[in-house]
Amino acid sequence: MAQLVYSSKINKIRSFALILIFAGILLMYVGLIFKSREWLMVIFFIFGLLAIFASLIVYLWIGTLSLRAVPIVCPSCEKPTKMLGRVDACMHCKQPLTLDKDLEGAEFDEKYNKRKYAKQKEQASD
């Protein structure tokens, strides 16, 4: 089976939070360049702290989402993974996963997780 370029939603959000941490630290280091202009240094420090606090909020949010995620065993690599939404990818081998019987065998697409797609499908079945 072809490997997906897609990664699991949980890993994407965790990566974003990690980038926020590094960006915050980088902003604070840039602030050290402007020691002579204290007001500019303080602004960079504040933006750095805001980025780190934003990452804290994102990590708390993904933690609560991860608790609600459906734990499954990947049929391909047989490792435990978590699934958010109707379709997702295995965290380990990027195998496309779905719990929806209607989507089994269908081409993998993120649009299946959108509410707009679910409404269109529901209207078509009525």
Side-chain angles (χ1 to χ4, degrees):
M1 179 154 280
Q3 290 289 320
L4 290 174
V5 182
Y6 180 73
S7 68
S8 71
K9 289 178 211 71
I10 293 175
N11 284 345
K12 278 184 182 179
I13 298 170
R14 285 179 182 157
S15 296
F16 174 70
L18 185 63
I19 289 170
L20 278 175
I21 287 175
F22 286 130
I25 292 171
L26 182 68
L27 282 170
M28 288 190 273
Y29 272 116
V30 169
L32 289 176
I33 295 171
F34 300 105
K35 281 184 181 177
S36 60
R37 297 185 191 132
E38 292 177 3
W39 62 272
L40 195 54
M41 181 181 72
V42 169
I43 288 174
F44 276 104
F45 274 37
I46 290 172
F47 282 137
L49 283 174
L50 288 175
I52 290 174
F53 284 134
S55 75
L56 173 75
I57 291 168
V58 171
Y59 271 123
L60 287 172
W61 175 63
I62 193 57
T64 58
L65 276 180
S66 183
L67 288 173
R68 290 188 287 152
V70 179
I72 60 171
V73 175
C74 177
S76 180
C77 67
E78 297 181 356
K79 292 181 181 177
T81 186
K82 291 185 177 182
M83 193 173 132
L84 287 174
R86 297 176 68 176
V87 294
D88 204 353
C90 175
M91 291 181 181
H92 308 286
C93 67
K94 306 210 185 314
Q95 167 77 25
L97 302 170
T98 184
L99 294 176
D100 191 350
K101 299 291 183 194
D102 296 337
L103 296 176
E104 284 184 10
E107 185 70 28
F108 187 85
D109 196 349
E110 291 182 55
K111 73 177 181 182
Y112 298 134
N113 289 326
K114 300 202 186 311
R115 288 187 180 137
K116 184 177 179 181
Y117 175 79
K119 284 183 182 179
Q120 288 174 352
K121 185 179 173 188
E122 188 177 292
Q123 290 173 353
S125 66
D126 289 341

